[in-house]
Amino acid sequence: MRRGREEPGRLHGEPPPRWARIAPAAALVGLVLAQLLTPGDVELGFFLAGLPPVAAFAYGPGGTAIFAAIVLVLLGAPSLGIGHARGTDLATVAVIGLLSVVIAWVRRRRDAQLVSVRTVAEAAQLAVLPPLAERVGPVRCSGLYRAAQRGTLVGGDLYDVRAGPYGVRALVGDVQGHGLAAVGTVAALLGAFREAVLDDAELAAVAARLDRRLASDAVAAPDGHPELFATALLLEFPPGLDLVRIVSCGHPPALRLRGPAVDEVAVDPGPPLGLGLAGPAPPTVAELTVRAGDRFLLHTDGVTEARDAAGHFYPLAARLPVVTRDPEGLVRAVWRDLAAFTDGGLRDDVALLLLTLDGPE
C-alpha cells in the first residue's frame, strides 16, 4: 500500500512473539533439570507453580491447561524426584492452574474483541484517507503518511490527488491539532476537496470552498471552536498546458526537483483555511512553467520542524540531493533520513507527497 502500512504500527492484532511462547517451556525444562542436579535437601520444584500464570499470557486455555497439568504431575509424583506436594499444597497449585486457565480464556476473548475493534477502526481511517493511486492522469504519485499518535493511521495531516474536468488537482494540508481528535476535520476537508475537484473551475474557488467548510464546522461545533484552522497547499495541472497552478494557505512551500537541482517554489501565501479566505479578496494563484520529468515534493511541517538532539531543524531541501539517489523511492528515503536525523523522536504527524509529470527524469 502506498502509505507504508506494512511497517510497524499496524492496527491488526498479532500473535505473541516466539520468545513469549518458548519461555514457559524453557523455564519448565530448566527447573526440572536444576532440581534433578540439586542435592535432595534443596527443593526447587515449587517454582513450577509460577509457570501456568506465565503461560496464560502466551497460550490459550488449552495450552495453559496442559502446562498446569504437567506442573501438577511433576509436583504430585514423588517418584519423579521433582516435588513432594501433598494435601493443601497440591490443592493450592491446582487452584493456581485453574485460575491461569481462566485468565488465558479471558485474555484470548479480549484479544479477539480488540482485534475486531481495531479492524473496524482501520477500515474507518482508510475510508477517510485511502491509499494513494500510483498514477492520476499524467501525474505519477507517491505518498507517505505517519501519524504521531501511536496505533493510528490518520492524524491531523492530509493529502489527496484527484483528476477532474479541470485537470489533476492535489491537496496537502495540516489541521489544528493531531491524533484522533483531528480526524473529523481531516475527513471534512477531504470531502470538500473531492467535490471541488469536480465542480469548481478555478483553483482559488477550491480553496474558498475548503475555507467555508472549515469555518462552518467551527461554528457548528457543539462547544464552539472559533480557532479551528488548517494550512493547505493546492496544486493544479491543467490539461493541455505546460504549467502548474499553486495556491498556498499558510502552508510550507513545495519543492521542485528538476534533475539534480532542488528549488523552493515561491508562492505568495494566503491565510490558513478557516480564517475568512472566502471573503472579497480571493487567494493568490501562482503559475509555474513545468516540463516532463519535473517532480514536486509537498510536505507538512512535521518534516521541516522535526529536530535532532541538538535542537536543529531537519534541512529537507539540503538533504534531497543526497536521498534522491535511493533506489526505493524518494519519499521512503526522506522518511528514513528523517527518522535517523531525529533518532526516532518524531512528535508530529508527517505527510509527504511526490508528484511527477510523465517524462524522463
Side-chain angles (χ1 to χ4, degrees):
M1 299 177 72
R2 300 298 295 172
R3 285 183 296 170
R5 300 294 188 215
E6 73 281 358
E7 296 189 6
R10 267 188 86 84
L11 297 185
H12 287 311
E14 297 181 356
R18 181 174 298 179
W19 65 264
R21 298 177 64 85
I22 294 175
L28 177 65
V29 173
L31 285 171
V32 169
L33 291 177
Q35 180 62 65
L36 293 176
L37 298 175
T38 301
D41 57 339
V42 178
E43 188 168 343
L44 303 176
F46 281 104
F47 285 106
L48 294 172
L51 292 183
V54 174
F57 289 97
Y59 291 86
T64 304
I66 291 173
F67 269 97
I70 292 174
V71 169
L72 280 174
V73 170
L74 291 174
L75 294 180
S79 60
L80 297 177
I82 305 301
H84 304 85
R86 288 293 183 271
T88 56
D89 289 340
L90 197 60
T92 300
V93 175
V95 170
I96 292 174
L98 179 60
L99 290 175
S100 300
V101 172
V102 173
I103 291 172
W105 178 80
V106 172
R107 182 193 61 82
R108 178 66 61 88
R109 185 177 179 183
R110 293 294 298 272
D111 285 352
Q113 293 174 341
L114 183 60
V115 169
S116 177
V117 170
R118 286 182 169 181
T119 301
V120 172
E122 179 174 319
Q125 293 180 70
L126 288 176
V128 172
L129 198 65
L132 191 65
E134 293 187 3
R135 177 182 295 273
V136 179
V139 179
R140 283 180 283 133
C141 311
S142 179
L144 183 141
Y145 193 110
R146 293 293 182 274
Q149 184 169 332
R150 185 176 179 83
T152 62
L153 303 179
V154 180
D157 290 355
L158 63 144
Y159 59 60
D160 201 3
V161 184
R162 298 277 164 160
Y166 310 106
V168 175
R169 287 169 170 172
L171 164 69
V172 169
D174 184 358
V175 308
Q176 180 191 29
H178 55 79
L180 292 176
V183 174
T185 306
V186 169
L189 286 175
L190 287 173
F193 171 72
R194 291 160 187 167
E195 292 177 358
V197 167
L198 302 175
D199 298 338
D200 294 326
E202 301 295 332
L203 192 61
V206 177
R209 181 189 290 247
L210 300 181
D211 178 73
R212 288 194 303 270
R213 177 58 189 267
L214 200 57
S216 175
D217 287 353
V219 172
D223 55 350
H225 209 321
E227 296 181 356
L228 182 63
F229 65 90
T231 65
L233 192 67
L234 291 157
L235 271 70
E236 177 184 87
F237 298 92
L241 299 177
D242 295 328
L243 59 86
V244 60
R245 298 189 178 106
I246 305 175
V247 169
S248 174
C249 302
H251 197 79
L255 297 173
R256 182 179 64 178
L257 293 84
R258 177 175 287 175
V262 177
D263 58 278
E264 186 177 283
V265 179
V267 179
D268 186 17
L273 301 172
L275 302 181
L277 188 64
T284 302
V285 179
E287 291 189 354
L288 180 69
T289 302
V290 296
R291 60 190 186 208
D294 280 355
R295 293 183 289 175
F296 293 89
L297 182 64
L298 288 65
H299 59 89
T300 56
D301 60 11
V303 178
T304 51
E305 293 184 2
R307 298 172 182 261
D308 62 7
H312 301 126
F313 291 112
Y314 178 69
L316 175 60
R319 294 296 300 164
L320 283 180
V322 178
V323 301
T324 191
R325 296 188 292 268
D326 194 303
E328 291 191 20
L330 180 63
V331 292
R332 292 196 175 279
V334 171
W335 168 251
R336 286 195 298 270
D337 192 58
L338 179 63
F341 180 82
T342 61
D343 195 22
L346 289 166
R347 299 181 181 275
D348 198 1
D349 302 320
V350 168
L352 292 163
L353 177 62
L354 181 68
L355 306 175
T356 306
L357 271 66
D358 278 333
E361 297 186 12

